């Protein structure tokens, strides 16, 4: 029982969701650890969306609208926190949803498939009933990708992705969009567009940005992407974190 007046109410509610998801087999054990790391960065960011995250969301929306074959990659943490919103985003963009797990087991794939179909997803890729292709440069179960999904995608949204997979996808010339609260992670630095924000705020913001930009002409959308510089955006985010806390700690 968490009281609404508790200063950490939202954060504690998310923890509760994460623990429930673990108990239902959606989350990998290390998904809880990953969430804790994200929580620490969210705390440093003041648990709010920065203007840099808004810029990245705008660029991501432009890239997803322009994409010929957009794919949204879903792992355990994403399914646990934002499955309804992922389905809405995929409907709005006509983007495919593919389950891709770092700690892949048949059981977790099928549990996550159920979570997504309960949220309204109709065509879920990456399951065990379909033939897969291996992503070059990776090995083991995390290398698998759907032939109709990530394998042929031009733009891939991969929230909370591991660095090796992010690098392998960029090497395959995918425009990679990630959501990662850690601006220093290898994935954050490797992706084409990194949204440094909590996925529970980033996906709803992305849905809104897609609605706003949906009728923009292609040249406007291309310009938004050209104007976005991931490296600069990450540096500014780090500076914001530092400025926010400088002077608070007495020597
Ligand atoms: O479900 P699986 O098997 O695919 O496993 C998923 C995890 C997340 C366990 C796996 O991909 C993993 O180990 O990821 P990492 O390398 O720990 O990276 C996760 C990143 O996500 C970290 O940089 C965290 O800071 C960040 N993160 C955690 N929670 C959130 C987040 N970013 C945005 N929103 C969050 N809620």
């Amino acid at each position: 029982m968490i009281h609404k007046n508790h200063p950490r109410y939202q954060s504690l509610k998310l923890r509760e969701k994460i623990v429930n998801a673990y108990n239902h087999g959606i989350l990998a054990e290390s998904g809880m650890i990953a969430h804790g790391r994200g929580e620490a960065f969210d705390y440093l960011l003041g648990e709010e969306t920065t203007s840099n995250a808004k810029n990245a969301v705008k660029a991501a929306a432009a890239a997803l609208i322009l994409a010929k074959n957009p794919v949204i990659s879903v792992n355990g943490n994403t399914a646990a926190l934002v499955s309804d919103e992922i389905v809405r985003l995929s409907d709005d963009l006509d983007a495919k949803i593919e389950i891709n797990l770092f700690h892949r087991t048949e059981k977790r794939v099928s549990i996550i498939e159920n979570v997504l179909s309960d949220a309204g997803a109709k065509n879920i890729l990456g399951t065990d009933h379909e033939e897969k292709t291996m992503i070059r440069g990776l090995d083991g179960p995390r290398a698998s990708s759907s032939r109709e999904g990530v394998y042929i995608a031009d733009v891939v949204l991969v929230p909370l992705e591991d660095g090796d997979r992010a690098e392998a996808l960029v090497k395959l010339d995918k425009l990679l969009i990630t959501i990662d609260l850690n601006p220093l992670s290898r994935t954050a630095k490797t992706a084409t567009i990194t949204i440094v924000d909590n996925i529970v705020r980033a996906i709803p913001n992305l849905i809104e940005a897609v609605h706003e930009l949906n009728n923009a002409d292609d040249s406007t959308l291309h310009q938004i992407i050209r104007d976005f510089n991931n490296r600069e955006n990450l540096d500014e985010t780090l500076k914001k974190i530092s400025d926010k806390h400088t002077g608070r700690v007495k020597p």
Side-chain angles (χ1 to χ4, degrees), residues 28 30-31 34-35 37-38 41 75-77 81 100-104 108 160-162 179-182 185 197-199:
S30 57
H35 183 81
R37 185 165 356 140
F41 278 102
N75 64 11
N77 292 58
L81 294 175
N100 278 303
L101 303 185
F102 188 76
H103 306 281
R104 192 178 178 100
R108 277 187 67 226
L160 284 69
E161 182 58 294
D162 116 276
I179 301 170
D180 193 330
L181 276 161
N182 178 1
S185 77
D197 203 2
N198 198 315
I199 191 168

Side-chain angles (χ1 to χ4, degrees), residues 10 105 134 153 174 216 223 245 248:
Q10 291 302 341
T105 62
M134 293 303 181
K174 314 281 178 198
Q223 192 57 48
H245 302 280
R248 281 205 191 154

Side-chain angles (χ1 to χ4, degrees), residues 55-243:
N55 290 342
V57 160
K58 194 171 172 190
L64 285 162
I65 294 169
L66 283 171
K68 292 202 169 47
N69 252 317
V71 172
I72 305 173
S73 179
V74 172
N75 64 11
N77 292 58
T78 304
L81 294 175
V82 285
S83 45
D84 290 343
E85 294 83 349
I86 289 288
V87 174
R88 203 170 320 141
L89 182 64
S90 93
D91 286 346
D92 293 349
L93 287 164
D94 205 9
K96 292 169 186 156
I97 295 181
E98 177 171 335
I99 301 172
N100 278 303
L101 303 185
F102 188 76
H103 306 281
R104 192 178 178 100
T105 62
E106 245 178 70
K107 190 156 180 231
R108 277 187 67 226
V109 171
S110 126
I111 293 171
I112 292 170
E113 190 181 357
N114 286 337
V115 169
L116 291 168
S117 72
D118 286 350
K122 280 160 217 87
N123 182 17
I124 304 161
L125 301 173
T127 65
D128 288 317
H129 341 291
E130 90 185 81
E131 210 187 321
K132 308 267 197 345
T133 301
M134 293 303 181
I135 296 175
R136 220 180 317 136
L138 292 176
D139 49 26
R142 68 185 177 149
S144 92
S145 74
S146 161
R147 276 177 191 269
E148 289 174 59
V150 165
Y151 187 66
I152 54 159
D154 51 347
V155 178
V156 191
L157 170 62
V158 279
L160 284 69
E161 182 58 294
D162 116 276
D164 283 349
R165 252 181 78 94
E167 280 181 0
L169 291 171
V170 166
K171 274 193 194 136
L172 290 175
D173 270 345
K174 314 281 178 198
L175 190 157
L176 200 76
I177 302 166
T178 195
I179 301 170
D180 193 330
L181 276 161
N182 178 1
L184 295 163
S185 77
R186 193 150 48 99
T187 301
K189 291 180 192 161
T190 304
T192 325
I193 301 168
T194 302
I195 304 166
V196 181
D197 203 2
N198 198 315
I199 191 168
V200 300
R201 297 190 294 271
I203 298 288
N205 287 341
L206 197 46
I207 292 172
E208 204 179 304
V210 166
H211 285 184
E212 277 169 19
L213 292 174
N214 230 347
N215 294 322
D217 52 50
D218 284 9
S219 63
T220 307
L221 296 172
H222 281 295
Q223 192 57 48
I224 290 172
I225 299 170
R226 271 197 300 274
D227 288 345
F228 180 79
N229 181 316
N230 205 45
R231 192 70 244 186
E232 277 175 24
N233 209 49
L234 290 175
D235 286 347
E236 283 170 24
T237 307
L238 279 168
K239 188 166 181 320
K240 264 184 197 151
I241 293 177
S242 157
D243 289 351

